[in-house]
Amino acid sequence: MSMRRPAAVLVSLVGVIVAYGCGGEQPPTGGEFPPEVTLNEGPDPGSGFGPSNPLGPSEAGPSGSGCGNSVKEGAETCDDGNATPGDGCSATCQLEPGWNCPTVGAACVAAGCGDGIVAGDEDCDDGNTTSLDGCSSVCVLEEGFKCPVPNAACVATTCGDKKIEGTEQCDDGNQRPYDGCSPDCKIEPTCAGGTCTAVCGDGVKFPGEQCDDGNRRSGDGCSATCTLEPGFTCQVITSDLPGTIDVPVVYRDFQPTTHPDFQSYCCGLVTGLVKPSLAMDGTPEFLSIGSTQMLTSAADFFDWYHDSARSQVIVSKLTLTKQPDDAYVYDDGAFFPLDGLGYGNEGNSHNYHFTSELRYYFTYKGGEILDFRGDDDVFVFINGKLAVDIGGVHGALPGGVTLDAAKATELGLAVNGMYELDVFQAERHTVDSNYKLTLRGFVKARTECAPICGDGIKTKNEACDDGVNAGGYGKCAPGCVFGPRCGDGQIQAEHGEQCDDGNLVDGDGCSSKCKVDVVVPK
């Protein structure tokens, strides 16, 4: 049985369509310096040393001096402001292999792609910086691959094996579209009554999402639920239009000897064969046989777009090619996609008896034009409502709709709303078969975020952010890094420091207040 609801192709603006048939966690605010480095004696308290907005407990290290206090001291080779291992700086503040911790108090980053160690925001690292081998030159996992073992070759995944691996978002054990998981194992948008809900993390921002940066990680400006995070500035970026787009299509092949609607009727345009709204399962529903009989019964019509014993199902795709005007076109004057497939040609030069079903969603902007010209049945539904009705077995005839304000009201469309557009076609009689599909205005938008230094919100890549970042002793400096302070290894006598041995440990000759103290014998 045909599965309903998800759409298939990411289209944010549909312009012209022509078809022919047959004859993360929120970061803490502020964040100058941890409380343990605040001077209570020595430097002038008015110098501003100490945090007006200290790190929260989830960020701060142990009380007093030690690993996680945002001061690299003693034998420490890093200090990222926490004592959590596995993030580049270990629980004892030792630099972990494959990482670089360039800014004290800020998150560590990958040392470099190609070193065979997955670190930072890397998805993979196969030990090289060669693209098209599963792991890209910037260590991003490539479509259709998994890289389970660092510093080893990546391997191709198999969509349809019920294992979610690599770039797959789902795997339901088949490669059928419109059942929730696409033929390339991507989660399909869910659609109810023609209105669609976008999928967070697919790298395409649609209405209803505040952002979508192509992942479901929090802490990078766009959260795991595609909401904007504080401390970042995010922009919607329109990707370059690809040279081609693939539209999934489901064909059902029939035999005139077992299905009375094929090769039996001819000829003429007959509207009103289907109801003005899609059925609950998202398929056209029989209304009448027409003014001149073109259909046999509701039960026979039901089989057109549902799996049954009288049909064979073939899943394929239409590849649309980008034109100079940025429209995408599929145009075939001899449209026989099932030649030699299904039940075969049955003694004819081509396979003439089949239906096709394709779905995609779009963001309504206003003024879109859908034009069809074709023979044999073509039914187009927008938001679950019949928009183009070219029923019957006939020669090529035009049909279309302009999505102006009046038509939008009729179809229940709102500007910037996301809707499903469904195209159902049937090839029912011999001689000719043509199919042309044009999509104009196809765009793919994603979100790119970057931290805002100076907004008073410390993000993971900032050592501090007091909202001013003017620098000075004990202050956050431009670039959201620590300014001069006790523990930086430099003696700032003008601020009352008597010594500075690069740590905040007492009893080693220089106290945690940068005062000369008594060495405690070990």
Side-chain angles (χ1 to χ4, degrees):
M1 180 175 181
S2 174
M3 301 298 293
R4 163 65 179 151
R5 295 283 62 95
V9 176
L10 306 176
V11 178
S12 64
L13 178 60
V14 174
V16 180
I17 296 183
V18 186
Y20 299 56
C22 157
E25 181 182 353
Q26 181 171 325
T29 58
E32 290 184 20
F33 301 102
E36 58 269 21
V37 298
T38 302
L39 291 181
N40 294 318
E41 58 180 349
D44 178 8
S47 67
F49 193 93
S52 59
N53 294 293
L55 297 173
S58 64
E59 292 274 349
S63 61
S65 61
C67 180
N69 65 358
S70 296
V71 179
K72 191 167 68 173
E73 52 195 357
E76 294 177 356
T77 57
C78 59
D79 196 316
D80 57 354
N82 67 69
T84 303
D87 62 356
C89 191
S90 75
T92 57
C93 282
Q94 298 300 303
L95 187 65
E96 296 175 316
W99 292 79
N100 185 21
C101 304
T103 305
V104 174
C108 303
V109 297
C113 179
D115 60 5
I117 300 173
V118 179
D121 289 332
E122 293 178 342
D123 295 328
C124 54
D125 196 316
D126 56 356
N128 65 66
T129 55
T130 303
S131 293
L132 304 180
D133 62 353
C135 188
S136 76
S137 61
V138 292
C139 284
V140 173
L141 199 60
E142 296 177 315
E143 286 294 324
F145 285 89
K146 63 179 178 179
C147 304
V149 181
N151 205 29
C154 302
V155 294
T157 55
T158 301
C159 181
D161 63 1
K162 293 187 177 181
K163 299 177 182 178
I164 301 176
E165 301 175 300
T167 58
E168 294 177 348
Q169 298 174 348
C170 57
D171 195 320
D172 57 0
N174 66 67
Q175 292 183 303
R176 290 284 295 268
Y178 319 135
D179 63 355
C181 189
S182 74
D184 56 356
C185 282
K186 300 298 182 186
I187 298 173
E188 295 172 319
T190 55
C191 300
T195 302
C196 305
T197 302
V199 177
C200 179
D202 63 0
V204 181
K205 182 191 177 301
F206 278 109
E209 294 180 316
Q210 293 182 4
C211 55
D212 196 320
D213 56 358
N215 67 67
R216 302 192 70 174
R217 293 191 299 263
S218 292
D220 60 0
C222 187
S223 75
T225 56
C226 286
T227 56
L228 294 171
E229 297 175 308
F232 292 83
T233 177
C234 298
Q235 294 181 323
V236 176
I237 306 296
T238 300
S239 301
D240 292 336
L241 297 177
T244 61
I245 57 173
D246 292 330
V247 184
V249 58
V250 177
Y251 297 105
R252 292 178 176 85
D253 192 25
F254 294 89
Q255 295 176 299
T257 56
T258 60
H259 199 295
D261 288 343
F262 292 86
Q263 201 62 32
S264 300
Y265 301 111
C266 194
C267 296
L269 168 68
V270 179
T271 60
L273 298 178
V274 299
K275 292 183 180 180
S277 297
L278 290 174
M280 289 297 293
D281 67 353
T283 60
E285 195 169 5
F286 174 88
L287 177 61
S288 72
I289 61 173
S291 55
T292 60
Q293 185 170 359
M294 282 292 172
L295 298 177
T296 306
S297 68
D300 290 314
F301 181 75
F302 183 86
D303 285 349
W304 284 26
Y305 302 110
H306 295 84
D307 298 355
S308 75
R310 293 194 289 184
S311 67
Q312 291 194 25
V313 178
I314 295 95
V315 177
S316 187
K317 63 183 179 182
L318 296 182
T319 299
L320 286 70
T321 303
K322 183 175 176 291
Q323 306 300 305
D325 63 354
D326 289 340
Y328 285 84
V329 177
Y330 176 88
D331 189 0
D332 191 347
F335 184 63
F336 300 107
L338 300 189
D339 277 3
L341 301 176
Y343 294 113
N345 297 2
E346 302 179 280
N348 298 310
S349 57
H350 298 286
N351 186 334
Y352 288 97
H353 307 113
F354 59 88
T355 65
S356 68
E357 169 190 357
L358 64 86
R359 306 170 186 269
Y360 46 94
Y361 62 90
F362 70 102
T363 300
Y364 172 66
K365 295 295 185 181
E368 293 86 348
I369 300 173
L370 288 81
D371 282 331
F372 269 91
R373 187 181 66 190
D375 39 330
D376 285 8
D377 315 81
V378 176
F379 309 111
V380 179
F381 291 80
I382 300 175
N383 195 21
K385 300 176 178 61
L386 185 62
V388 176
D389 184 1
I390 312 176
V393 180
H394 47 71
L397 293 173
V401 59
T402 299
L403 298 183
D404 55 18
K407 182 58 68 172
T409 299
E410 178 184 329
L411 297 175
L413 309 181
V415 174
N416 292 324
M418 185 167 60
Y419 303 98
E420 184 175 287
L421 191 152
D422 309 302
V423 182
F424 300 93
Q425 174 258 354
E427 170 60 38
R428 293 205 275 157
H429 206 280
T430 54
V431 182
D432 295 322
S433 181
N434 301 279
Y435 197 101
K436 184 176 182 180
L437 172 65
T438 302
L439 303 178
R440 189 183 308 278
F442 180 90
V443 297
K444 184 176 181 180
R446 69 184 189 282
T447 307
E448 290 186 353
C449 299
I452 304 172
C453 181
D455 62 354
I457 300 174
K458 179 192 178 301
T459 61
K460 68 177 184 179
N461 294 320
E462 297 172 335
C464 55
D465 194 330
D466 62 11
V468 179
N469 306 321
Y473 188 76
K475 299 291 187 179
C476 195
C480 286
V481 297
F482 292 130
R485 58 175 177 157
C486 180
D488 63 3
Q490 302 291 324
I491 299 175
Q492 284 96 24
E494 67 275 19
H495 293 289
E497 290 185 359
Q498 298 174 351
C499 57
D500 195 323
D501 56 1
N503 65 60
L504 299 176
V505 177
D506 290 313
D508 63 352
C510 187
S511 75
S512 59
K513 310 300 183 183
C514 285
K515 296 292 187 180
V516 175
D517 64 0
V518 178
V519 176
V520 178
K522 294 184 180 180

